[in-house]
Amino acid sequence: MTETTLAGPSLADFEAARLVVSRVADVTPMESSRYLADLLGAPVHLKCENLQRTGSYKIRGAYNRLSKLTAEERSHGVVAASAGNHAQGVAFAARELGIKATIFMPVGVALPKLQATRAYGADVILRGHTVAEPLLAAAEYAQETGAILIPPFDHVDVVAGQGTLGLEILEQVPDLETVIVPIGGGGLLSGVASVLKQAAARDGRRIRVIGVQAENAAAYPPSLAAGEPVVISLLPTISDGIAVAKPGLLNFEIIRDTVDEVVTVSEDDTARALLVLLERAKLVVEPAGAVAVAAILAGKIIATGPTVAILSGGNIDPLLMQRVISHGLAASGRYLTLRIMLPDRPGQLARVSQLLAEVHANVIEVLHTRHGVGLQLSEVELDVSVETRGPEHREQVVAALRDAGFAPNVD
């Protein structure tokens, strides 16, 4: 494989884009993780685009695309549609280049993302309840006003901008063998994969590229199987930043020819990854940005040499973070909810509390009621949530209750 055999930008195009993007984008840190390295059996490095300006890699492609506009095109302004990161990238790039930006966002967009987009100077219009509705509205706005529509991933200039991340990775981890990349529409993966494969061919070496999607928004596996982009029905996912129903045309073509494997991760996998990144790496990452780490935790990655996992963004709503942390604790066996039917007589609640204390389970919440559905007149229902230290301790807590004659149902 050489530069000229791939669709999209050449290595020279990526290098030129890097000169442009470097005006606004930081060279983000590359952190190592002993915890993940022990799990994978190979060195693991984290490319921290969650620490990028605007909180994600999106600034790279947005700024590169806007910088290519002619003076005439700039005079008409730009328009985009996004639930968050692309919106912020376009708004920031437009402000830096002195271009008027209009951004369509769904009505339920997270407040921090809405506020940040407005703070960068864009006019924000809320439309619809899914990303599809703002996309349609943005296209109509472009047709009516002449504003230039800035796509989130399916454009050669966007791909070139996102691929500058691959050039940084090559410099920061020269001996890398595997790179793990989140996928939505494919802008980041197509750019990074193209850079790495072209560089590997030039240098006579091999670099594996693995893409990761959320199970509930995985358009690439069926598309790759069909040989062309296909539309899927999206299911709810915490990884809203990569919830895209159809791959981009250019992105698909590049990914089909460069990416070695695409894997998927569950919601639980992603929640665990966020918790690991918070506790072990001290990094705040949004769900879509954590799926590369989720794939390692879920055992979906086989690697023998230096491996880079891209953390593509860190724009997470604090309220969502609170829910995800709780979910991650449960998924990691560190948060346990028990439902226990007790005889309706004095001392039963105290007895359960004593048993939990003896096995060092910290009680978080208790609900004690006589009014549950299906309860006998002589019964009460106890719902108790406790913190545990992991799966083994979780089993110890349940066993202690059962040994004492109770029959806890585990949620």
Side-chain angles (χ1 to χ4, degrees):
M1 180 185 299
T2 65
E3 294 185 35
T4 57
T5 61
L6 288 178
S10 66
L11 270 181
D13 294 328
F14 286 113
E15 293 286 1
R18 187 178 189 183
L19 293 176
V20 174
V21 169
S22 65
R23 299 171 194 162
V24 295
D26 296 329
V27 176
T28 49
M30 183 75 76
E31 301 288 344
S32 60
S33 172
R34 293 180 182 177
Y35 177 78
L36 293 173
D38 289 342
L39 288 178
L40 188 62
V44 175
H45 305 275
L46 305 174
K47 180 56 172 169
C48 300
E49 280 294 285
N50 59 309
L51 303 179
Q52 184 58 263
R53 297 178 76 177
T54 75
S56 86
Y57 72 94
K58 287 286 191 176
I59 188 178
R60 297 172 181 270
Y63 189 84
N64 193 56
R65 173 67 188 119
L66 266 66
S67 71
K68 303 289 187 181
L69 299 179
T70 65
E72 172 66 19
E73 289 172 326
R74 294 186 187 198
S75 69
H76 293 290
V78 297
V79 61
S82 167
N85 289 344
H86 180 56
Q88 293 174 72
V90 171
F92 182 91
R95 186 189 71 182
E96 295 298 298
L97 293 167
I99 302 172
K100 181 181 182 296
T102 302
I103 311 292
F104 287 84
M105 305 182 83
V107 172
V109 66
L111 183 59
K113 295 182 179 181
L114 173 61
Q115 291 175 329
T117 303
R118 284 178 170 158
Y120 293 133
D123 292 334
V124 177
I125 300 174
L126 300 180
R127 186 69 55 83
H129 297 278
T130 67
V131 177
E133 293 167 278
L135 283 170
L136 179 60
E140 293 173 349
Y141 181 90
Q143 188 172 15
E144 293 169 1
T145 65
I148 306 301
L149 182 64
I150 306 299
F153 44 82
D154 198 5
H155 193 284
V156 66
D157 293 335
V158 174
V159 171
Q162 317 302 29
T164 61
L165 185 60
L167 297 174
E168 287 183 21
I169 291 171
L170 283 170
E171 292 180 354
Q172 292 172 316
V173 188
D175 60 343
L176 73 103
E177 293 186 14
T178 301
V179 178
I180 314 168
V181 190
I183 323 175
L188 179 62
L189 179 59
S190 58
V192 169
S194 183
V195 165
L196 297 182
K197 292 297 185 175
Q198 291 185 62
R202 178 197 63 195
D203 300 338
R205 55 185 287 205
R206 184 169 184 264
I207 299 174
R208 293 177 65 236
V209 181
I210 300 173
V212 186
Q213 290 204 288
E215 283 181 358
N216 289 354
Y220 268 91
S223 296
L224 291 168
E228 62 181 3
V230 299
V231 181
I232 64 165
S233 296
L234 297 176
L235 297 174
T237 176
I238 58 173
S239 301
D240 60 334
I242 53 174
V244 178
K246 183 180 180 182
L249 293 174
L250 174 61
N251 313 116
F252 175 82
E253 187 174 353
I254 296 172
I255 288 168
R256 179 195 60 202
D257 295 339
T258 60
V259 173
D260 296 277
E261 185 180 6
V262 174
V263 300
T264 62
V265 292
S266 69
E267 300 292 282
D268 282 354
D269 295 333
T270 303
R272 280 194 294 267
L274 261 69
L275 193 61
V276 165
L277 287 165
L278 275 172
E279 289 190 322
R280 300 285 183 162
K282 316 307 177 191
L283 291 169
V284 175
V285 183
E286 64 186 274
V291 294
V293 170
I296 295 175
L297 296 176
K300 300 290 184 74
I301 306 298
I302 298 175
T304 56
T307 298
V308 173
I310 295 178
L311 310 180
S312 58
N315 292 317
I316 182 169
D317 184 340
L319 293 175
L320 175 61
M321 177 181 287
Q322 184 180 37
R323 300 203 312 270
V324 170
I325 289 173
S326 296
H327 194 81
L329 287 170
S332 301
R334 293 168 53 190
Y335 188 86
L336 175 64
T337 298
L338 301 162
R339 179 167 297 165
I340 309 169
M341 300 304 178
L342 301 175
D344 188 9
R345 60 174 182 263
Q348 294 302 299
L349 177 58
R351 188 178 177 210
V352 171
S353 297
Q354 180 62 34
L355 288 167
L356 293 173
E358 289 172 357
V359 291
H360 307 291
N362 187 37
V363 176
I364 302 301
E365 187 175 21
V366 174
L367 173 63
H368 185 272
T369 180
R370 292 182 174 87
H371 308 299
V373 176
L375 284 176
Q376 303 297 320
L377 290 174
S378 59
E379 286 183 324
V380 296
E381 179 182 305
L382 175 66
D383 291 340
V384 56
S385 297
V386 299
E387 286 181 332
T388 60
R389 296 189 299 273
E392 291 183 5
H393 189 211
R394 176 189 177 105
E395 293 304 318
Q396 183 183 358
V397 170
V398 174
L401 291 168
R402 288 175 177 161
D403 290 345
F406 295 105
N409 291 315
V410 179
D411 185 357

